[in-house]
Amino acid sequence: MEEMPRKSAAELEAECLRLLEMDPHTRGIKRVEIIRMYPKGTGPNWAYGALDPMPTRAGVAIAQTLIASVYGRWALAD
């Protein structure tokens, strides 16, 4: 299996925010906390921990979907 391209936490947050800005339910989010994970194997090594400010319940569901698209493309750099 090919290794995922890597980005810094700041780059991952910027990419998440870029996507969140495109949807009216998530447009107001100004910060996405990136948390390093230590998975077994070669799975993605990060997750998001918090959104600031917290969106509505519908906004959270949309944010999860948008962030998942970033999660599947890049790994967190060392």
Side-chain angles (χ1 to χ4, degrees):
M1 184 174 178
E2 190 174 314
E3 189 171 312
M4 295 177 95
R6 295 182 176 271
K7 287 188 178 263
S8 70
E11 290 171 318
L12 290 171
E13 179 181 24
E15 181 62 17
C16 290
L17 290 173
R18 183 186 72 78
L19 293 174
L20 295 171
E21 180 64 28
M22 293 181 190
D23 189 281
H25 293 93
T26 58
R27 185 168 289 143
I29 297 172
K30 302 296 181 204
R31 183 175 159 272
V32 177
E33 179 185 22
I34 303 297
I35 299 172
R36 178 175 297 281
M37 296 174 46
Y38 297 94
K40 292 182 180 184
T42 59
N45 64 345
W46 66 276
Y48 80 95
L51 303 172
D52 187 35
M54 193 68 169
T56 63
R57 188 178 305 182
V60 169
I62 292 166
Q64 288 173 337
T65 300
L66 293 171
I67 292 170
S69 72
V70 177
Y71 181 76
R73 287 187 284 170
W74 291 292
L76 180 59
D78 296 331

